[in-house]
Amino acid sequence: IVMPTPLISLRPLACPQYAGALLVKIIYSINIYTLIDLLSNYMVRMRGYQWWQGSVVLLSALVLMLAAVCAGLHFGTSANRKARLVIGLIVMTVATWQLSAIDLYTSKAWIGLLVAVWGAGVGLAAVPVMMPVFEGLTQEQAFSTAGIFNITRFLPAFIIGATLGILMSRTTDAQVDRLRLRITHNRPAVSATVAHMKNEFTIRNHQTNGQDKQTQAVLGAWVRANARAFAFQSILGYLAGLTAAGAVL
């Protein structure tokens, strides 16, 4: 801002059209990187999928993403560019919002369908989200904005993704406390469950010691997994709201 010829000039951000287009591109990138990271965490750590099972779920998104990109390149025009961008962001928003309802027992087929719809939205918006950033700029202006564009390709997504990761950990802890209160409130049902689990461990292990620790470990893991699933829902809800803001912009 101060130097006459800075290495990375921030002056293009003073242009409302450029700043707005760049902000939409940033929101678009945040949704992609954050959702893929959250889904990988959900499928591998929370649901215990094998790597190839998680890959199959994400493969549906990749296929429809590429198909939507190719369709946009073939049928897309300057006249329908804004419509493709808005529709793509809306599809991403709706799919992200629907994904925020999944829990520890949601079918892989339903998750794969939602991820595929999300991928179609990503592909539909992929080309038009890039063009407004450089629209109307001279070659010299385009070169001067390259530094800003490269910085904003990954850095904002990393910052927001890390922030949401921290928020997810804090929300998980809060959900654990809530579930503990529910366990205390529903003491008869919990006591019956614990007694049944102890009996199962006794039958399987043919031993009369260690059942208490095994039962506590299993019940604790179940509570923690559900708490993380509820936190996952909250974080995806925030992400859906952020993507909706991009569609409005």
Side-chain angles (χ1 to χ4, degrees), residues 209-238:
N209 57 351
Q211 293 88 348
D212 290 338
K213 291 183 178 179
Q214 288 179 306
T215 301
Q216 291 176 5
V218 172
L219 187 59
W222 182 84
V223 170
R224 190 76 182 178
N226 276 275
R228 193 162 186 83
F230 295 147
F232 179 83
Q233 294 173 359
S234 300
I235 297 304
L236 277 183
Y238 300 150

PDB file of all heavy atoms in Angstrom, residues 209-238:
ATOM      1  N   ASN A 209     -13.392 -61.396  34.995  1.00  0.00           N
ATOM      2  CA  ASN A 209     -12.762 -60.124  35.370  1.00  0.00           C
ATOM      3  C   ASN A 209     -12.487 -59.311  34.104  1.00  0.00           C
ATOM      4  O   ASN A 209     -12.326 -59.861  33.019  1.00  0.00           O
ATOM      5  CB  ASN A 209     -11.451 -60.353  36.136  1.00  0.00           C
ATOM      6  CG  ASN A 209     -10.467 -61.192  35.339  1.00  0.00           C
ATOM      7  OD1 ASN A 209     -10.836 -61.731  34.300  1.00  0.00           O
ATOM      8  ND2 ASN A 209      -9.249 -61.302  35.813  1.00  0.00           N
ATOM      9  N   GLY A 210     -12.447 -58.023  34.272  1.00  0.00           N
ATOM     10  CA  GLY A 210     -12.155 -57.128  33.148  1.00  0.00           C
ATOM     11  C   GLY A 210     -13.380 -56.621  32.418  1.00  0.00           C
ATOM     12  O   GLY A 210     -13.261 -55.764  31.535  1.00  0.00           O
ATOM     13  N   GLN A 211     -14.581 -57.122  32.759  1.00  0.00           N
ATOM     14  CA  GLN A 211     -15.770 -56.694  32.030  1.00  0.00           C
ATOM     15  C   GLN A 211     -16.097 -55.220  32.277  1.00  0.00           C
ATOM     16  O   GLN A 211     -16.578 -54.524  31.374  1.00  0.00           O
ATOM     17  CB  GLN A 211     -16.993 -57.544  32.432  1.00  0.00           C
ATOM     18  CG  GLN A 211     -16.905 -58.995  32.011  1.00  0.00           C
ATOM     19  CD  GLN A 211     -16.200 -59.836  33.070  1.00  0.00           C
ATOM     20  OE1 GLN A 211     -15.595 -59.285  33.993  1.00  0.00           O
ATOM     21  NE2 GLN A 211     -16.246 -61.144  32.941  1.00  0.00           N
ATOM     22  N   ASP A 212     -15.835 -54.762  33.518  1.00  0.00           N
ATOM     23  CA  ASP A 212     -16.139 -53.362  33.831  1.00  0.00           C
ATOM     24  C   ASP A 212     -15.327 -52.410  32.957  1.00  0.00           C
ATOM     25  O   ASP A 212     -15.866 -51.453  32.397  1.00  0.00           O
ATOM     26  CB  ASP A 212     -15.849 -53.084  35.309  1.00  0.00           C
ATOM     27  CG  ASP A 212     -16.839 -53.764  36.229  1.00  0.00           C
ATOM     28  OD1 ASP A 212     -17.956 -54.075  35.761  1.00  0.00           O
ATOM     29  OD2 ASP A 212     -16.500 -54.009  37.399  1.00  0.00           O
ATOM     30  N   LYS A 213     -14.032 -52.665  32.820  1.00  0.00           N
ATOM     31  CA  LYS A 213     -13.182 -51.780  32.010  1.00  0.00           C
ATOM     32  C   LYS A 213     -13.573 -51.852  30.537  1.00  0.00           C
ATOM     33  O   LYS A 213     -13.595 -50.821  29.848  1.00  0.00           O
ATOM     34  CB  LYS A 213     -11.716 -52.176  32.182  1.00  0.00           C
ATOM     35  CG  LYS A 213     -11.161 -51.884  33.576  1.00  0.00           C
ATOM     36  CD  LYS A 213      -9.689 -52.237  33.655  1.00  0.00           C
ATOM     37  CE  LYS A 213      -9.119 -51.898  35.037  1.00  0.00           C
ATOM     38  NZ  LYS A 213      -7.683 -52.245  35.144  1.00  0.00           N
ATOM     39  N   GLN A 214     -13.865 -53.048  30.041  1.00  0.00           N
ATOM     40  CA  GLN A 214     -14.264 -53.174  28.645  1.00  0.00           C
ATOM     41  C   GLN A 214     -15.572 -52.440  28.378  1.00  0.00           C
ATOM     42  O   GLN A 214     -15.721 -51.748  27.359  1.00  0.00           O
ATOM     43  CB  GLN A 214     -14.405 -54.658  28.273  1.00  0.00           C
ATOM     44  CG  GLN A 214     -13.085 -55.400  28.165  1.00  0.00           C
ATOM     45  CD  GLN A 214     -13.288 -56.867  27.830  1.00  0.00           C
ATOM     46  OE1 GLN A 214     -14.018 -57.577  28.520  1.00  0.00           O
ATOM     47  NE2 GLN A 214     -12.659 -57.317  26.772  1.00  0.00           N
ATOM     48  N   THR A 215     -16.501 -52.585  29.287  1.00  0.00           N
ATOM     49  CA  THR A 215     -17.797 -51.918  29.125  1.00  0.00           C
ATOM     50  C   THR A 215     -17.638 -50.406  29.150  1.00  0.00           C
ATOM     51  O   THR A 215     -18.207 -49.692  28.310  1.00  0.00           O
ATOM     52  CB  THR A 215     -18.760 -52.365  30.233  1.00  0.00           C
ATOM     53  OG1 THR A 215     -18.932 -53.779  30.168  1.00  0.00           O
ATOM     54  CG2 THR A 215     -20.108 -51.685  30.074  1.00  0.00           C
ATOM     55  N   GLN A 216     -16.861 -49.899  30.081  1.00  0.00           N
ATOM     56  CA  GLN A 216     -16.641 -48.455  30.166  1.00  0.00           C
ATOM     57  C   GLN A 216     -15.936 -47.929  28.920  1.00  0.00           C
ATOM     58  O   GLN A 216     -16.257 -46.846  28.428  1.00  0.00           O
ATOM     59  CB  GLN A 216     -15.826 -48.131  31.420  1.00  0.00           C
ATOM     60  CG  GLN A 216     -16.573 -48.361  32.721  1.00  0.00           C
ATOM     61  CD  GLN A 216     -15.702 -48.129  33.937  1.00  0.00           C
ATOM     62  OE1 GLN A 216     -14.559 -47.701  33.813  1.00  0.00           O
ATOM     63  NE2 GLN A 216     -16.234 -48.419  35.115  1.00  0.00           N
ATOM     64  N   ALA A 217     -14.982 -48.706  28.406  1.00  0.00           N
ATOM     65  CA  ALA A 217     -14.257 -48.276  27.205  1.00  0.00           C
ATOM     66  C   ALA A 217     -15.185 -48.215  25.999  1.00  0.00           C
ATOM     67  O   ALA A 217     -15.154 -47.244  25.219  1.00  0.00           O
ATOM     68  CB  ALA A 217     -13.093 -49.225  26.930  1.00  0.00           C
ATOM     69  N   VAL A 218     -16.020 -49.233  25.828  1.00  0.00           N
ATOM     70  CA  VAL A 218     -16.933 -49.259  24.685  1.00  0.00           C
ATOM     71  C   VAL A 218     -17.969 -48.147  24.795  1.00  0.00           C
ATOM     72  O   VAL A 218     -18.242 -47.428  23.816  1.00  0.00           O
ATOM     73  CB  VAL A 218     -17.626 -50.635  24.587  1.00  0.00           C
ATOM     74  CG1 VAL A 218     -18.723 -50.601  23.528  1.00  0.00           C
ATOM     75  CG2 VAL A 218     -16.608 -51.712  24.251  1.00  0.00           C
ATOM     76  N   LEU A 219     -18.545 -47.989  25.966  1.00  0.00           N
ATOM     77  CA  LEU A 219     -19.551 -46.950  26.158  1.00  0.00           C
ATOM     78  C   LEU A 219     -18.939 -45.561  25.991  1.00  0.00           C
ATOM     79  O   LEU A 219     -19.548 -44.673  25.376  1.00  0.00           O
ATOM     80  CB  LEU A 219     -20.184 -47.077  27.541  1.00  0.00           C
ATOM     81  CG  LEU A 219     -21.382 -46.158  27.831  1.00  0.00           C
ATOM     82  CD1 LEU A 219     -22.493 -46.409  26.829  1.00  0.00           C
ATOM     83  CD2 LEU A 219     -21.894 -46.369  29.249  1.00  0.00           C
ATOM     84  N   GLY A 220     -17.723 -45.371  26.514  1.00  0.00           N
ATOM     85  CA  GLY A 220     -17.048 -44.089  26.347  1.00  0.00           C
ATOM     86  C   GLY A 220     -16.740 -43.787  24.892  1.00  0.00           C
ATOM     87  O   GLY A 220     -16.902 -42.647  24.433  1.00  0.00           O
ATOM     88  N   ALA A 221     -16.282 -44.804  24.140  1.00  0.00           N
ATOM     89  CA  ALA A 221     -15.993 -44.611  22.715  1.00  0.00           C
ATOM     90  C   ALA A 221     -17.262 -44.273  21.941  1.00  0.00           C
ATOM     91  O   ALA A 221     -17.252 -43.438  21.027  1.00  0.00           O
ATOM     92  CB  ALA A 221     -15.339 -45.858  22.144  1.00  0.00           C
ATOM     93  N   TRP A 222     -18.373 -44.923  22.316  1.00  0.00           N
ATOM     94  CA  TRP A 222     -19.637 -44.651  21.640  1.00  0.00           C
ATOM     95  C   TRP A 222     -20.094 -43.215  21.898  1.00  0.00           C
ATOM     96  O   TRP A 222     -20.544 -42.520  20.982  1.00  0.00           O
ATOM     97  CB  TRP A 222     -20.689 -45.641  22.129  1.00  0.00           C
ATOM     98  CG  TRP A 222     -22.021 -45.478  21.467  1.00  0.00           C
ATOM     99  CD1 TRP A 222     -22.427 -45.987  20.268  1.00  0.00           C
ATOM    100  CD2 TRP A 222     -23.139 -44.725  21.975  1.00  0.00           C
ATOM    101  NE1 TRP A 222     -23.718 -45.607  19.999  1.00  0.00           N
ATOM    102  CE2 TRP A 222     -24.179 -44.835  21.025  1.00  0.00           C
ATOM    103  CE3 TRP A 222     -23.342 -43.988  23.144  1.00  0.00           C
ATOM    104  CZ2 TRP A 222     -25.416 -44.226  21.211  1.00  0.00           C
ATOM    105  CZ3 TRP A 222     -24.586 -43.375  23.325  1.00  0.00           C
ATOM    106  CH2 TRP A 222     -25.599 -43.503  22.361  1.00  0.00           C
ATOM    107  N   VAL A 223     -19.986 -42.773  23.136  1.00  0.00           N
ATOM    108  CA  VAL A 223     -20.380 -41.400  23.476  1.00  0.00           C
ATOM    109  C   VAL A 223     -19.501 -40.401  22.729  1.00  0.00           C
ATOM    110  O   VAL A 223     -19.988 -39.409  22.166  1.00  0.00           O
ATOM    111  CB  VAL A 223     -20.284 -41.175  24.998  1.00  0.00           C
ATOM    112  CG1 VAL A 223     -20.462 -39.694  25.332  1.00  0.00           C
ATOM    113  CG2 VAL A 223     -21.333 -42.000  25.727  1.00  0.00           C
ATOM    114  N   ARG A 224     -18.196 -40.671  22.704  1.00  0.00           N
ATOM    115  CA  ARG A 224     -17.275 -39.759  22.021  1.00  0.00           C
ATOM    116  C   ARG A 224     -17.554 -39.707  20.522  1.00  0.00           C
ATOM    117  O   ARG A 224     -17.529 -38.633  19.910  1.00  0.00           O
ATOM    118  CB  ARG A 224     -15.838 -40.229  22.267  1.00  0.00           C
ATOM    119  CG  ARG A 224     -14.777 -39.233  21.806  1.00  0.00           C
ATOM    120  CD  ARG A 224     -14.661 -38.087  22.776  1.00  0.00           C
ATOM    121  NE  ARG A 224     -13.687 -37.102  22.329  1.00  0.00           N
ATOM    122  CZ  ARG A 224     -13.432 -35.977  22.982  1.00  0.00           C
ATOM    123  NH1 ARG A 224     -14.080 -35.693  24.084  1.00  0.00           N
ATOM    124  NH2 ARG A 224     -12.538 -35.118  22.521  1.00  0.00           N
ATOM    125  N   ALA A 225     -17.836 -40.863  19.919  1.00  0.00           N
ATOM    126  CA  ALA A 225     -18.117 -40.906  18.484  1.00  0.00           C
ATOM    127  C   ALA A 225     -19.393 -40.150  18.155  1.00  0.00           C
ATOM    128  O   ALA A 225     -19.459 -39.409  17.160  1.00  0.00           O
ATOM    129  CB  ALA A 225     -18.219 -42.356  18.019  1.00  0.00           C
ATOM    130  N   ASN A 226     -20.419 -40.300  18.964  1.00  0.00           N
ATOM    131  CA  ASN A 226     -21.658 -39.557  18.724  1.00  0.00           C
ATOM    132  C   ASN A 226     -21.456 -38.061  18.928  1.00  0.00           C
ATOM    133  O   ASN A 226     -22.010 -37.251  18.174  1.00  0.00           O
ATOM    134  CB  ASN A 226     -22.763 -40.071  19.656  1.00  0.00           C
ATOM    135  CG  ASN A 226     -23.463 -41.296  19.106  1.00  0.00           C
ATOM    136  OD1 ASN A 226     -24.396 -41.183  18.311  1.00  0.00           O
ATOM    137  ND2 ASN A 226     -22.991 -42.465  19.499  1.00  0.00           N
ATOM    138  N   ALA A 227     -20.665 -37.702  19.919  1.00  0.00           N
ATOM    139  CA  ALA A 227     -20.382 -36.290  20.151  1.00  0.00           C
ATOM    140  C   ALA A 227     -19.679 -35.675  18.942  1.00  0.00           C
ATOM    141  O   ALA A 227     -19.986 -34.556  18.523  1.00  0.00           O
ATOM    142  CB  ALA A 227     -19.534 -36.121  21.404  1.00  0.00           C
ATOM    143  N   ARG A 228     -18.733 -36.425  18.379  1.00  0.00           N
ATOM    144  CA  ARG A 228     -18.025 -35.924  17.195  1.00  0.00           C
ATOM    145  C   ARG A 228     -18.960 -35.847  15.987  1.00  0.00           C
ATOM    146  O   ARG A 228     -18.837 -34.947  15.158  1.00  0.00           O
ATOM    147  CB  ARG A 228     -16.826 -36.811  16.881  1.00  0.00           C
ATOM    148  CG  ARG A 228     -15.860 -36.193  15.871  1.00  0.00           C
ATOM    149  CD  ARG A 228     -14.517 -36.863  15.912  1.00  0.00           C
ATOM    150  NE  ARG A 228     -13.552 -36.198  15.061  1.00  0.00           N
ATOM    151  CZ  ARG A 228     -12.851 -35.129  15.405  1.00  0.00           C
ATOM    152  NH1 ARG A 228     -13.010 -34.615  16.605  1.00  0.00           N
ATOM    153  NH2 ARG A 228     -11.987 -34.580  14.566  1.00  0.00           N
ATOM    154  N   ALA A 229     -19.891 -36.782  15.879  1.00  0.00           N
ATOM    155  CA  ALA A 229     -20.854 -36.741  14.783  1.00  0.00           C
ATOM    156  C   ALA A 229     -21.751 -35.513  14.898  1.00  0.00           C
ATOM    157  O   ALA A 229     -22.035 -34.836  13.894  1.00  0.00           O
ATOM    158  CB  ALA A 229     -21.696 -38.015  14.781  1.00  0.00           C
ATOM    159  N   PHE A 230     -22.190 -35.190  16.115  1.00  0.00           N
ATOM    160  CA  PHE A 230     -23.008 -33.994  16.306  1.00  0.00           C
ATOM    161  C   PHE A 230     -22.205 -32.728  16.006  1.00  0.00           C
ATOM    162  O   PHE A 230     -22.734 -31.772  15.430  1.00  0.00           O
ATOM    163  CB  PHE A 230     -23.544 -33.958  17.740  1.00  0.00           C
ATOM    164  CG  PHE A 230     -24.496 -35.069  18.057  1.00  0.00           C
ATOM    165  CD1 PHE A 230     -24.548 -35.615  19.337  1.00  0.00           C
ATOM    166  CD2 PHE A 230     -25.335 -35.591  17.090  1.00  0.00           C
ATOM    167  CE1 PHE A 230     -25.432 -36.645  19.637  1.00  0.00           C
ATOM    168  CE2 PHE A 230     -26.208 -36.628  17.369  1.00  0.00           C
ATOM    169  CZ  PHE A 230     -26.260 -37.153  18.644  1.00  0.00           C
ATOM    170  N   ALA A 231     -20.935 -32.715  16.400  1.00  0.00           N
ATOM    171  CA  ALA A 231     -20.078 -31.574  16.086  1.00  0.00           C
ATOM    172  C   ALA A 231     -19.873 -31.454  14.578  1.00  0.00           C
ATOM    173  O   ALA A 231     -19.862 -30.349  14.023  1.00  0.00           O
ATOM    174  CB  ALA A 231     -18.736 -31.724  16.798  1.00  0.00           C
ATOM    175  N   PHE A 232     -19.717 -32.594  13.913  1.00  0.00           N
ATOM    176  CA  PHE A 232     -19.571 -32.628  12.458  1.00  0.00           C
ATOM    177  C   PHE A 232     -20.786 -31.984  11.784  1.00  0.00           C
ATOM    178  O   PHE A 232     -20.647 -31.215  10.826  1.00  0.00           O
ATOM    179  CB  PHE A 232     -19.412 -34.090  12.029  1.00  0.00           C
ATOM    180  CG  PHE A 232     -19.286 -34.303  10.552  1.00  0.00           C
ATOM    181  CD1 PHE A 232     -18.070 -34.158   9.915  1.00  0.00           C
ATOM    182  CD2 PHE A 232     -20.375 -34.670   9.786  1.00  0.00           C
ATOM    183  CE1 PHE A 232     -17.942 -34.365   8.552  1.00  0.00           C
ATOM    184  CE2 PHE A 232     -20.262 -34.874   8.426  1.00  0.00           C
ATOM    185  CZ  PHE A 232     -19.052 -34.723   7.809  1.00  0.00           C
ATOM    186  N   GLN A 233     -21.970 -32.276  12.306  1.00  0.00           N
ATOM    187  CA  GLN A 233     -23.182 -31.692  11.750  1.00  0.00           C
ATOM    188  C   GLN A 233     -23.171 -30.167  11.889  1.00  0.00           C
ATOM    189  O   GLN A 233     -23.533 -29.442  10.958  1.00  0.00           O
ATOM    190  CB  GLN A 233     -24.403 -32.286  12.444  1.00  0.00           C
ATOM    191  CG  GLN A 233     -24.612 -33.767  12.196  1.00  0.00           C
ATOM    192  CD  GLN A 233     -25.726 -34.361  13.031  1.00  0.00           C
ATOM    193  OE1 GLN A 233     -26.350 -33.667  13.840  1.00  0.00           O
ATOM    194  NE2 GLN A 233     -26.001 -35.639  12.841  1.00  0.00           N
ATOM    195  N   SER A 234     -22.751 -29.687  13.045  1.00  0.00           N
ATOM    196  CA  SER A 234     -22.719 -28.243  13.270  1.00  0.00           C
ATOM    197  C   SER A 234     -21.746 -27.544  12.333  1.00  0.00           C
ATOM    198  O   SER A 234     -22.066 -26.504  11.734  1.00  0.00           O
ATOM    199  CB  SER A 234     -22.336 -27.945  14.726  1.00  0.00           C
ATOM    200  OG  SER A 234     -23.263 -28.508  15.628  1.00  0.00           O
ATOM    201  N   ILE A 235     -20.549 -28.120  12.165  1.00  0.00           N
ATOM    202  CA  ILE A 235     -19.528 -27.493  11.324  1.00  0.00           C
ATOM    203  C   ILE A 235     -19.978 -27.460   9.870  1.00  0.00           C
ATOM    204  O   ILE A 235     -19.790 -26.451   9.170  1.00  0.00           O
ATOM    205  CB  ILE A 235     -18.192 -28.255  11.455  1.00  0.00           C
ATOM    206  CG1 ILE A 235     -17.676 -28.177  12.891  1.00  0.00           C
ATOM    207  CG2 ILE A 235     -17.160 -27.682  10.497  1.00  0.00           C
ATOM    208  CD1 ILE A 235     -17.505 -26.779  13.428  1.00  0.00           C
ATOM    209  N   LEU A 236     -20.600 -28.535   9.389  1.00  0.00           N
ATOM    210  CA  LEU A 236     -21.088 -28.543   8.007  1.00  0.00           C
ATOM    211  C   LEU A 236     -22.236 -27.544   7.825  1.00  0.00           C
ATOM    212  O   LEU A 236     -22.400 -26.978   6.743  1.00  0.00           O
ATOM    213  CB  LEU A 236     -21.544 -29.940   7.620  1.00  0.00           C
ATOM    214  CG  LEU A 236     -20.439 -30.898   7.165  1.00  0.00           C
ATOM    215  CD1 LEU A 236     -21.022 -32.228   6.726  1.00  0.00           C
ATOM    216  CD2 LEU A 236     -19.613 -30.301   6.033  1.00  0.00           C
ATOM    217  N   GLY A 237     -23.015 -27.327   8.877  1.00  0.00           N
ATOM    218  CA  GLY A 237     -24.046 -26.293   8.802  1.00  0.00           C
ATOM    219  C   GLY A 237     -23.438 -24.912   8.618  1.00  0.00           C
ATOM    220  O   GLY A 237     -23.928 -24.110   7.814  1.00  0.00           O
ATOM    221  N   TYR A 238     -22.358 -24.632   9.356  1.00  0.00           N
ATOM    222  CA  TYR A 238     -21.659 -23.351   9.178  1.00  0.00           C
ATOM    223  C   TYR A 238     -21.096 -23.229   7.757  1.00  0.00           C
ATOM    224  O   TYR A 238     -21.169 -22.154   7.143  1.00  0.00           O
ATOM    225  CB  TYR A 238     -20.511 -23.229  10.183  1.00  0.00           C
ATOM    226  CG  TYR A 238     -20.935 -23.293  11.627  1.00  0.00           C
ATOM    227  CD1 TYR A 238     -20.080 -23.798  12.602  1.00  0.00           C
ATOM    228  CD2 TYR A 238     -22.192 -22.847  12.015  1.00  0.00           C
ATOM    229  CE1 TYR A 238     -20.469 -23.863  13.939  1.00  0.00           C
ATOM    230  CE2 TYR A 238     -22.596 -22.917  13.355  1.00  0.00           C
ATOM    231  CZ  TYR A 238     -21.723 -23.426  14.301  1.00  0.00           C
ATOM    232  OH  TYR A 238     -22.107 -23.491  15.613  1.00  0.00           O
TER     233      TYR A 238
END
